[in-house]
Amino acid sequence: MNVSLFIGSITGTLVEEMNLRYLYAIMGIFLLLAATASAGSFTAEMDVDTYVDADSANQSFADSDLLWAASQGAEPKALVYLSFINLLGSQGIFKPEQIASATLTLDAAKVDKPGKIKAYYLHGEALDTMTWYDKLDYNAEVSSSPEDVEKVGSYTLDVTSIIKKAVETCTEGCGYSIVLVAEDNATVGFASSETSGNGPVLKYETEE
């Protein structure tokens, strides 16, 4: 048997095995990344935070330091709109069941009348020019539990169902928002993103 051919055959086999091992290693890394890409904690980036006011129906308030939510009886008189940049798909989040929990933290900077505040899902983006006359309708069937706001301070709403709905409808990049609605004749002013570090913060956790 030709020794050079024999050595060449062995060398070729070893190179093939090394290439296969390298390929398997690379594939393993990609599989590991795919399995863990959507696991972790994320903070959503605010796009627009504003409110609309029935008593100033032609005005927009995107530059306001306070975001007012108010109601009179059962009727809302001021609504807060929080629109977020949609990064769900780029974060590897494609199914609602991947969301383990989601919270919206708000700083009640002024409480004229205490009462309940509830968060609702809105399919779409809130514009900084929006007024009471052209406000967007939120989804009344997807909401947080009501939160009692009795005094100035920090409050956290469980918005898991809202973010699950956002994943269901907006993974491909469409806009989504959260609308704050006052109940029980409440009138509350929340700190906006225009303030220093006390604006609304949306965080969500994903399953391992």
Side-chain angles (χ1 to χ4, degrees), residues 5 18 33 41 53 62 65 68 74 86 92 114 119 123 131 153 156 166 175 186 191 202:
L5 289 176
M18 290 177 66
L33 289 173
S41 177
D53 188 338
D65 288 340
W68 287 98
N86 187 345
H123 177 69
T131 70
T156 299
L202 171 62

Side-chain angles (χ1 to χ4, degrees), residues 88-184:
L88 296 168
S90 64
Q91 293 163 343
I93 305 171
F94 299 100
K95 297 179 180 179
E97 55 267 27
Q98 288 178 262
I99 300 295
S101 63
T103 58
L104 177 66
T105 302
L106 303 163
D107 181 32
K110 193 170 183 181
V111 181
D112 286 354
K113 294 181 182 179
K116 290 182 172 60
I117 300 293
K118 202 170 181 179
Y120 291 87
Y121 172 71
L122 169 63
H123 177 69
E125 301 167 345
L127 300 178
D128 56 9
T129 56
M130 186 170 60
T131 70
W132 182 266
Y133 284 133
D134 58 13
K135 67 183 184 297
L136 302 175
D137 293 329
Y138 54 85
N139 188 332
E141 297 180 356
V142 184
S143 68
S144 69
S145 297
E147 180 74 14
D148 282 308
V149 179
E150 299 295 330
K151 58 183 180 180
V152 169
S154 179
Y155 294 86
T156 299
L157 283 69
D158 183 344
V159 293
T160 304
S161 62
I162 293 175
I163 302 307
K164 282 179 178 287
K165 188 66 174 179
V167 175
E168 179 186 333
T169 58
C170 290
T171 298
E172 299 304 320
C174 66
Y176 71 92
S177 305
I178 293 177
V179 183
L180 303 179
V181 181
E183 302 176 352
D184 302 334

Side-chain angles (χ1 to χ4, degrees), residues 21 31 182:
R21 288 176 183 173
L31 289 173

